[in-house]
């Protein structure tokens, strides 16, 4: 067993230069772990942390035991958790409080890693609980060998090995009486279900370890596909949004789709209801539909899926003639023009009749109620409707701007001039408009 722990610690790159914080409760698992490190004190640098839950009378006995076993031999930090306010989800809430306190202690003593005594039987119980709770693939991984700055060097050691080590080395420990309380799911499984399963298969932890390995392999396969997709032209990260090619994205399995969205776009933990909602949203694939998840918005366009937080950046700038205004992703300028005009299809440049201009021109963002008289038409049209009819993507519509004479729209920049400002045979004053995307 000691060789297993040493090998596992080596895989975590733990040597005498790495400061470890051992989480020791006083139960058999953590006391065996403490004994191992005390026997190998010249190979590892470590401190000890004990969290007293103050939940029952035995908690103080366990604290005293840990204090006695360290007995000035190890740097020991003891913390008490206030538990009176916890009335529901006791096991889960205790765990959160415990890990929060351990992290505080880790920082106080400048430890690099927190070490817990989770073992193979714990893993089997955890996976069973995750199955009963209909957890996703992340949950089915069970207890991680390493989770950020928490390592578990006993993850592949069985409870029977721990008991044998404790007996052989006369390790003192106290059985936590709460482990007998079968109102906790884990204790029910441990004291009832797994007792019977071990009658069928003695080393019942082994198939659960194998199961965890297979799940990790599935994770690796998904991660490989996610990485390939995100390195392709189908996935484009811009300053304010992410664009994903729709056809290629919907050809992927949902688990790959979900990982792309959650890990790379949103980077947050999803609830089960979020996952079901997202799956239904993708299944419907309705063009023009949006779904707000966490702080992000997912928009399904005709050819792409856009993910963004806020695209409603408002612009309003007055521009003097002859001055060039360069801001963010566009450049705009205008000036009076006297030369003969060669009209072409360049949408970045327009010439207008300047007789109606009242002063400086304004370039601004599009508003919901904006309308103008498109060139060649007799009736007004809403700018938003005009842009939709041009089959522009959501992003290009959001980025579109209008050039105005006071409050009247002269030009939907880069797309369409107003009929009111077109050059006529009798036009005497001419203005040249320039609009370029940077």
């Amino acid at each position: 067993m000691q060789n297993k722990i040493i090998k596992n610690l080596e895989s975590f790159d733990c040597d005498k230069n790495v400061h470890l914080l051992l989480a020791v409760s006083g139960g058999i698992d953590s006391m065996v772990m403490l004994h191992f490190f005390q026997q190998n004190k010249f190979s590892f640098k470590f401190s000890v942390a004990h969290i007293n839950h103050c939940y029952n009378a035995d908690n103080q006995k366990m604290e005293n035991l840990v204090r006695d076993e360290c007995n000035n031999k190890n740097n020991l930090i003891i913390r008490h958790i206030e538990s009176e306010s916890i009335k529901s989800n006791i096991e889960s809430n205790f765990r959160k409080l415990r890990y929060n306190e351990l992290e505080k202690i880790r920082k106080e003593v400048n430890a690099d890693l927190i070490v817990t005594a989770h073992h193979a039987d714990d893993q089997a119980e955890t996976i069973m609980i995750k199955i009963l709770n209909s957890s996703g693939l992340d949950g089915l991984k069970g207890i991680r060998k390493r989770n950020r700055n928490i390592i578990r060097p006993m993850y592949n050691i069985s409870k029977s090995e721990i008991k044998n080590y404790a007996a052989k080395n006369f390790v003192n420990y106290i059985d936590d009486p709460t482990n007998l309380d079968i109102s906790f799911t884990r204790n029910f499984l441990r004291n009832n279900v797994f007792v019977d399963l071990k009658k069928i298969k003695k080393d019942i932890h082994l198939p659960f370890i194998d199961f965890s390995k297979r799940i990790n392999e599935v994770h690796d396969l998904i991660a490989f596909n996610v990485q390939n997709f995100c390195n392709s032209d189908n996935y484009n990260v811009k300053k304010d949004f992410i664009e994903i090619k729709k056809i290629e994205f919907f050809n992927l399995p949902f688990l790959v789709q979900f990982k792309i969205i959650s890990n790379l776009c949103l980077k947050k933990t999803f609830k089960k209801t979020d996952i079901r909602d997202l799956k239904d949203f993708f299944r419907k694939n309705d063009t023009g539909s949006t779904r707000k998840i966490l702080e992000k918005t997912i928009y399904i366009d005709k050819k792409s899926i856009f993910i963004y937080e806020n695209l409603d950046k408002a612009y309003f700038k007055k521009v003097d003639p002859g001055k060039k205004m360069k801001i963010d992703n566009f450049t705009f300028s205008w000036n009076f023009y006297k030369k003969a005009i060669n009209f072409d299809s360049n949408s970045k440049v327009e010439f207008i009749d300047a007789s109606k201009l009242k002063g400086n021109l304004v370039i601004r963002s599009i508003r919901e109620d904006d309308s103008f008289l498109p060139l060649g038409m007799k009736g007004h049209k809403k700018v938003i409707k005009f842009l939709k009819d041009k089959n522009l993507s959501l992003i290009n519509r959001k980025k579109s701007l209008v050039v105005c004479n006071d409050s009247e729209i002269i030009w939907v920049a880069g797309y369409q001039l107003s009929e009111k400002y077109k050059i006529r045979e009798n036009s005497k004053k001419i203005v040249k408009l320039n609009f370029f995307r940077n």
Side-chain angles (χ1 to χ4, degrees), residues 402-417:
V402 289
V403 178
C404 302
N405 173 31
D406 196 13
S407 61
E408 188 172 55
I409 294 174
I410 298 172
W411 186 31
V412 179
Y415 295 114
Q416 187 65 280
L417 192 66

Side-chain angles (χ1 to χ4, degrees), residues 86-99:
I86 300 175
K87 304 298 181 184
S88 61
N89 296 323
I90 295 173
E91 189 176 18
S92 175
N93 286 319
F94 272 170
R95 182 168 57 251
K96 290 176 184 177
L97 290 172
R98 184 166 61 251
Y99 277 110

